[in-house]
Amino acid sequence: PRAQPDPEQADTFTAGVVWTPDMFEGTFKNWIFSLDYYDIEVKDYIGTFAPQEILDGCYTFGDLSKCDSIVREFGALTLPQSGLQTFTTNLDYLKVEGMEFAFSFGAGLGDYGDLTFSGNYNLYFTNESKADATTPVLDCLGYYGASCGNPLPESRFIQRTTWNWGNFEASYLWQYLGSTEIEPAQKDGTYPKFRSIGSENYFDLYFGYTMFENVKLSLNIQNVFDVDPPVVGNEAGTTASNSGNT
């Protein structure tokens, strides 16, 4: 039986400021601005080797432990099936760093209710990991692929505006995702049109009406402008993060 992973250990640093000014009184109210910085490094983080890390470790760096994870014979009742063994274990480290800016405020509309505005802007500086001493650092900031998984843009923005008027409520959600590229290790073997994903904006709508104390009708419309997911081919990632070649 394989050894159980040891607990993770993290070094975490965070710092932030919050500002609640009184501006434009009579029209706008409840202003809140916040800015936060974080730097988190998790040592001995629990995870699995990426398939490409196993293959590179064996065939490029000659790491016998990686070669032992490559099973070439067919499976049986007591033998694993051919493929790569990616058991959960302690990996070297995972490091993330970034900043987040958030805001919210309200506006009165008199007899027509009130509006609430809120938003978050995230700027990522670092997102990297290292599986072990012989495996190169995996930088996933701004990339997607078989090792990094889902796209991780360097910046993203979420903004919501809500209108409350008696028993009626309506809101929209605006999501912005920055552009990303295929992992450098996969670039040469990827069709040129599949090597990048441009920035995109998504909009959702919500409507709600409270009929009685315990009865509320609601309607949600996601992706109002029907933005199609980008096609990146079936080599861009695993099935979990790249279903249907998108």
Side-chain angles (χ1 to χ4, degrees), residues 178-228:
S179 60
T180 53
E181 298 179 354
I182 191 72
E183 297 172 18
Q186 293 182 243
K187 184 175 182 179
D188 292 339
T190 302
Y191 185 56
K193 290 186 177 181
F194 297 163
R195 292 177 183 174
S196 64
I197 299 175
S199 60
E200 193 57 81
N201 294 277
Y202 298 92
F203 292 89
D204 303 333
L205 292 177
Y206 168 81
F207 303 93
Y209 183 79
T210 302
M211 298 183 63
F212 309 106
E213 182 177 359
N214 298 316
V215 178
K216 184 175 184 178
L217 298 180
S218 62
L219 170 67
N220 288 278
I221 305 175
Q222 294 184 325
N223 193 9
V224 173
F225 298 105
D226 197 22
V227 177
D228 293 327

Side-chain angles (χ1 to χ4, degrees), residues 60-79:
T60 303
F61 302 105
D63 187 340
L64 295 181
S65 64
K66 303 294 193 308
C67 295
D68 290 340
S69 297
I70 303 175
V71 181
R72 297 174 176 83
E73 68 270 6
F74 291 103
L77 183 62
T78 59
L79 296 175

Side-chain angles (χ1 to χ4, degrees), residues 47-210:
T48 60
F49 284 93
Q52 194 63 48
E53 291 177 334
I54 295 176
L55 295 175
D56 290 344
C58 177
Y59 295 109
T60 303
F61 302 105
D63 187 340
L64 295 181
S65 64
K66 303 294 193 308
C67 295
D68 290 340
S69 297
I70 303 175
V71 181
R72 297 174 176 83
E73 68 270 6
F74 291 103
L77 183 62
T78 59
L79 296 175
Q81 189 175 2
S82 60
L84 302 178
Q85 295 180 336
T86 55
F87 296 112
T88 301
T89 186
N90 287 110
L91 304 179
D92 195 350
Y93 75 85
L94 171 68
K95 180 178 176 63
V96 294
E97 180 188 12
M99 297 188 69
E100 178 180 272
F101 170 74
F103 71 89
S104 68
F105 63 94
L109 301 178
D111 295 337
Y112 297 98
D114 58 75
L115 292 173
T116 302
F117 304 87
S118 63
N120 289 76
Y121 176 75
N122 291 270
L123 183 63
Y124 304 105
F125 302 146
T126 305
N127 189 298
E128 66 179 34
S129 62
K130 187 174 176 60
D132 62 10
T134 62
T135 303
V137 173
L138 178 61
D139 181 7
C140 289
L141 183 60
Y143 297 111
Y144 62 91
S147 297
C148 290
N150 288 327
L152 180 64
E154 294 184 6
S155 62
R156 61 184 297 177
F157 173 74
I158 298 177
Q159 194 276 320
R160 181 186 293 277
T161 299
T162 302
W163 175 34
N164 287 285
W165 182 27
N167 293 339
F168 177 76
E169 177 185 358
S171 68
Y172 77 82
L173 179 67
W174 170 24
Q175 301 182 68
Y176 166 82
L177 297 176
S179 60
T180 53
E181 298 179 354
I182 191 72
E183 297 172 18
Q186 293 182 243
K187 184 175 182 179
D188 292 339
T190 302
Y191 185 56
K193 290 186 177 181
F194 297 163
R195 292 177 183 174
S196 64
I197 299 175
S199 60
E200 193 57 81
N201 294 277
Y202 298 92
F203 292 89
D204 303 333
L205 292 177
Y206 168 81
F207 303 93
Y209 183 79
T210 302

